[in-house]
Amino acid sequence: MPHKVLFLTLKVFGFTGGIEKVCRSICRSLYDLGEENIVEPTVYSMYDKYFDRDSRYLKKQQYHAFNEHRKYFVIKSLLKGIRSDVVILSHINLLSIGYLIKRFSPKTKVYLLAHGIEIWRKLPEPKLKALKRLDKIIAVSHFTAERIKSIHGTKEDKIEILNNCIDPFYFFPTKFSKPKPLLERYQLHPDQKILMSLSRVVSSEKYKGYDNTISILPHLIKKYPKLVYLIAGKSDDEEKLRLEKLITKHQIANHIKLIGFIDEAEITDHFLLSDIFVMPSKKEGFGIVFIEAMASGLSVIAGNKDGSVDALKNGELGKLVNPDDSSEIEKTLDELLKSPLNDNEKIALQKKVLKAFSYEKYRESIKKLIVYGTSYIMLL
């Protein structure tokens, strides 16, 4: 008989952040495993609306959107959860529901996805008790796993590391010329060197590393007078104002553009527009944006003190730098600007990324978790 699996989420289709991308990959995994009659999947989303569903990831009958009706979501999740074999929680904010399911149905396996900063904080005693009641915590990187062990005292055998994957429908470009519509939109020339960062540009996430990149831009401009830095991502007013003051301070207004939110359909084109993706973050849980950039043939610079290390395979796929060392970031940027990847090297990078973070490998790990209770098992 197929395993009854309930996947509880906050959002899947109504937002395009990293956690939502992970959720979509899990949804498609459940979809595929349902076609193989290995699982009988159900996905409940607290905040999504029913028409948000993308049919590539889930069938209509597998998906239930609760349109922010929290109490109804909790009640339905509890009733469905105690009749399920496995419950997967997409976020620590769903921990209390998982705890109740374990109380009423101890035989039900309950797993929590641990992405990053949301689980690195100290937890109140009731939440910590609920965390310890879970069967497994699935950490997206070694860094996140270590933080969970050190902060919450979680035993090692309760944690599994499962790196995120490339979305099964991600577009892999085969030609790497800079898209003309974007060159025109941002008033750029094909021969200009372009740096890019992509993250939420908000006052609560200053750890993303664009401050250090801005600070070294004046030095790089002396060597590369046409250099432009694109900072992409939805911003709040406070952070945008702060960045504008930094830009004025460093006198680099002609070399930096705050381009705001990028539609999901245009992300690959923005990677193709750029020469280097630079985001030396200090608190990245994993960094799906890194593997997407590399899958588009883009050189990447990331920080060496967080989950980015997993995304870059310990430096095998990109450059890892000390995010607090501006001179190291500048030196690494200079090296990459001097020796850009050719098309064959970009294709080789794509192949390495796909091998390391393929959806097929990810789906197999989800299957093992559901069927055997661990993704570490080796099947003959």
Side-chain angles (χ1 to χ4, degrees), residues 195-213:
L195 311 180
M196 179 185 174
S197 297
L198 172 60
S199 70
R200 289 200 305 160
V201 184
V202 295
S203 53
S204 61
E205 295 192 10
K206 294 174 185 173
Y207 56 82
K208 291 292 186 179
Y210 41 72
D211 277 36
N212 275 342
T213 306

Side-chain angles (χ1 to χ4, degrees), residues 109 200 347:
K109 301 293 183 184
R200 289 200 305 160
I347 291 168

Side-chain angles (χ1 to χ4, degrees), residues 155-374:
K155 293 180 180 177
E156 192 160 350
D157 61 359
K158 277 281 189 86
I159 302 174
E160 290 207 18
I161 298 163
L162 177 57
N163 290 154
N164 297 326
C165 70
I166 295 284
D167 186 279
F169 301 104
Y170 189 78
F171 170 69
F172 283 79
T174 55
K175 296 181 180 179
F176 302 99
S177 57
K178 297 189 177 189
K180 288 182 180 179
L182 293 186
L183 288 169
E184 293 172 2
R185 182 188 302 176
Y186 301 124
Q187 298 178 314
L188 299 168
H189 300 286
D191 62 339
Q192 283 184 279
K193 298 290 187 182
I194 299 171
L195 311 180
M196 179 185 174
S197 297
L198 172 60
S199 70
R200 289 200 305 160
V201 184
V202 295
S203 53
S204 61
E205 295 192 10
K206 294 174 185 173
Y207 56 82
K208 291 292 186 179
Y210 41 72
D211 277 36
N212 275 342
T213 306
I214 290 172
S215 71
I216 63 177
L217 215 56
H219 300 145
L220 289 170
I221 290 166
K222 290 177 182 178
K223 295 181 181 180
Y224 308 96
K226 295 181 180 180
L227 185 69
V228 173
Y229 181 27
L230 304 179
I231 299 181
K234 190 175 181 181
S235 62
D236 63 23
D237 293 338
E238 180 183 340
E239 185 67 353
K240 188 177 180 181
L241 181 62
R242 189 183 72 84
L243 288 183
E244 287 170 349
K245 288 180 179 178
L246 268 180
I247 292 165
T248 302
K249 174 187 173 184
H250 291 292
Q251 299 180 328
I252 51 174
N254 293 330
H255 297 271
I256 192 164
K257 296 178 185 288
L258 306 178
I259 62 176
F261 174 78
I262 298 177
D263 188 270
E264 188 78 14
E266 288 194 323
I267 287 179
T268 301
D269 278 350
H270 279 79
F271 290 147
L272 291 173
L273 177 69
S274 309
D275 296 282
I276 300 170
F277 186 87
V278 52
M279 200 167 77
S281 172
K282 289 189 283 188
K283 294 182 181 178
E284 205 70 53
F286 175 80
I288 287 179
V289 68
F290 294 127
I291 61 175
E292 289 181 340
M294 293 183 295
S296 302
L298 189 56
S299 295
V300 165
I301 297 175
N304 63 7
K305 294 185 176 181
D306 60 12
S308 310
V309 174
D310 277 33
L312 271 63
K313 295 290 285 184
N314 297 301
E316 180 186 335
L317 302 176
K319 299 288 187 180
L320 291 168
V321 297
N322 181 344
D324 295 314
D325 190 336
S326 297
S327 61
E328 185 180 346
I329 298 168
E330 182 181 342
K331 181 184 175 184
T332 307
L333 276 167
D334 188 30
E335 288 172 359
L336 292 179
L337 287 166
K338 282 178 181 174
S339 304
L341 298 179
N342 61 41
D343 284 6
N344 288 334
E345 289 170 328
K346 290 178 180 182
I347 291 168
L349 177 59
Q350 282 184 324
K351 288 179 179 178
K352 285 182 181 178
V353 173
L354 185 57
K355 182 179 179 182
F357 303 110
S358 74
Y359 162 72
E360 289 75 19
K361 188 160 75 171
Y362 187 82
R363 181 186 61 206
E364 188 63 21
S365 294
I366 295 295
K367 173 183 171 181
K368 289 176 183 177
L369 270 169
I370 293 167
V371 176
Y372 303 106
T374 176

